[in-house]
Amino acid sequence: MTKILKYLKPYWLSIVLAFGLLFGQATCELTMPDYMQNIVNTGIQNAGIESGVYQQIREKTLNSYLIFANDSEKDLITSSYKLVTPSKATKEEKTQIPALKTENVYVLKDIGEEKESKLNNTLTLLQMTMVEVSKDAKEQNIQIPQLLMMNGVDTYRKDAKSEISKLGDSTVSSMSSQFLKKEYTDLGMNMEKMQQDYIIFSGLKMLGYALGSAVCAILVGFLASRIAAGFSKDLREEVFEKVTHFSNENLNTFSTSSLITRTTNDIQQLQMTIVMFLRIVMYAPIIGVGAILHVIESGANMTWILALCVVVILSVVLLIFMIVMPKFKIMQKMIDKMNSVVRELLDGMLVIRAFNNEKLEEKKFDQANADITSISLFTTRAMAIMMPIMMFLMNGTTLMILWFGSKQVDSGMIQVGSIMAFMQYAMQVIMAFLMITMVTIMLPRANVSALRIYEVLSSEITIKDQSNPLDFSSSMHGIVSFKNVSFKYPGADEEVLKDISFETKPGETTAFIGSTGSGKSTLINLVPRFYDVTSGSILVDGVDIRDVKQSDLRSRIGYVPQKGMLLSGDIESNLLYSKKDASKDDISNALSISQSTEFVSKKPEGIHSEINQGGTNVSGGQRQRLSIARAIVRKPEIYIFDDSFSALDFKTDAKLREALAASCKETKSTVLLVAQRISSILHADQIIVLDEGKMVGKGTHSELMKSCEVYQQIASSQLTKEELANV
């Protein structure tokens, strides 16, 4: 599959941009659980108090803390606050802090983050020390000053440090916030407004990140679709271009139905996989690793739950992958077979109906359909099992987090909001692996499809131009020479043609006749290089056709195949297919020579009449004549007719050959003509008789009637003695 991915190279900038957007989306997604945790822990439980450092504190409260502080702590606290008295307080300060109207209040200075962190730790220790002292005083029913004189401050500070070490950071923060909440209430501050403001502001931030995540996701989807569609377009063009250069030998390697499947279904599989890869596979590791880092930073001792879940998920995916992968290879081959059966059914519909064999063909189709249905059900069921397993694992992980997390909440290690955030991150980790799992459903088929496409692209074209091709001689025109030509099909043991030698002359007709399978069509297909000779050589205008460009060679040839083939469009577009710049006179002349003028003129739209694909809306004879007209429009040096007059009646055949002969004499074009009927070649300048791949006769009709037994047998089987005598 990696060999196919090189076609993504033109889109590297879009891929990098998509990766950046995925990173932005993941950042937004990973930030939201933090805000949810803050809303629950700080906004709801801590009344919107973010820090354990007092922003404002009454003088008497500060003095009570100083009782339990050592000298360095006292210096830290006193240097961090400035005293504001009622007489010096501004009106705004009194409005914000109502207690300033009657008592002194200390206000926090701008002390910097590092000093504020030290102050927070100091105040937390002093708060916990006060709790320990108060608890002991209550138990012993002794006043705090007496208790401190009896036991000393250091004893309670030591107990306070021990308690803090047992609690989690979030619990310690929650405890400190209760002290701050009481103090702010005593200061007369509006705690309800403070809480609401915090929750609303945090909620708006969370909403902003959610919108940012949505925008990134939409943009990534847009880019992924464009990249995948462009990749598919380029790949289809590459495959199509490759196939157009295939020789008949290459085409025989792949069936038509298989090439259609590879160009459509297989590339579609890759397109879908690339979209999923850009949207999910690239995103899953980012969100997964980010969530794991947040889980580790959370301090909750439940990371082992995630590790266990991930190991189980990977084991399930690997097992199913090993089971399903071989089946996908078989599935694509069965799609080829299905296409082949359907194509055969549609192409041979008239024959099938004529022999009442609809039921037989239905059985063939049902068998192919049942085979692909069976394997599709197997793979689908195997993949379907994965989803309930994943949901079970995800819900089981949630239960385990709640079970073990509740115990930590109860012991004071973490808060409820932290558990909620941990669950969110855990789900993000699991979903990352689930997303990758979903992609693994497509990867096996995509890999098979990529290999099938690469098989086409990597096929070596058997007929190709030389690195330094020659040019045709300008002094020669329409001369075709076979020199000891032998040919056998690739992989065959026996030669189809053996030691064929002859030469044509400009303006003359060379005909080929022989029994079925004697090699007539094979021989003339060697001239346009549809196949290359096994031994010997073919010269056109004195140059070996293997030494010139194929395009130059075929530009000198007007080829009419055995089966007339028209393309979708109209009559004019089909005639211009051989020569785009042909004039109206050229078209009119070609229609006249091919005896097509009469039936074309009778059509309501004339040469602009529509032609269906394959020419199915015209008769066989009309299709054949239009194919001949298409070759005539080109005005080539060499005409090749591969039994192209078989669909014509004798009268039309005679008129066409007469007009064609006159035109060829005028333009000095050479005609190579394969025929089954003696009447079509009676007046040929040279007749080549083939029998089992060997040339057994060469000459005019009268010469061959005297010297060639095979020709005599063919002639006597088609014409009466009287008809032969009158020739």
Side-chain angles (χ1 to χ4, degrees), residues 210-253:
L211 291 174
S213 175
V215 170
C216 288
I218 292 170
L219 291 175
V220 169
F222 173 77
L223 286 172
S225 299
R226 284 185 62 101
I227 292 167
F231 166 82
S232 298
K233 171 180 170 290
D234 295 343
L235 194 56
R236 273 193 295 268
E237 287 179 351
E238 190 76 14
V239 172
F240 183 79
E241 184 180 354
K242 182 78 174 185
V243 172
T244 57
H245 289 88
F246 272 4
S247 66
N248 286 8
E249 180 183 344
N250 292 121
L251 290 172
N252 291 336
T253 305

Side-chain angles (χ1 to χ4, degrees), residues 466-533:
Q466 298 281 357
S467 56
N468 296 306
L470 302 177
D471 294 325
F472 281 105
S473 172
S474 59
S475 61
M476 304 177 74
H477 181 89
I479 299 176
V480 180
S481 302
F482 274 61
K483 294 185 176 181
N484 307 113
V485 170
S486 296
F487 173 76
K488 65 178 178 181
Y489 286 103
D493 295 327
E494 296 183 2
E495 293 180 330
V496 180
L497 297 172
K498 304 171 186 175
D499 197 25
I500 306 294
S501 297
F502 66 89
E503 184 173 284
T504 66
K505 295 179 181 180
E508 294 185 354
T509 298
T510 298
F512 303 90
I513 195 166
S515 59
T516 301
S518 59
K520 304 182 298 296
S521 294
T522 302
L523 185 146
I524 62 168
N525 281 333
L526 294 175
V527 178
R529 279 196 79 191
F530 295 156
Y531 292 100
D532 270 340
V533 299

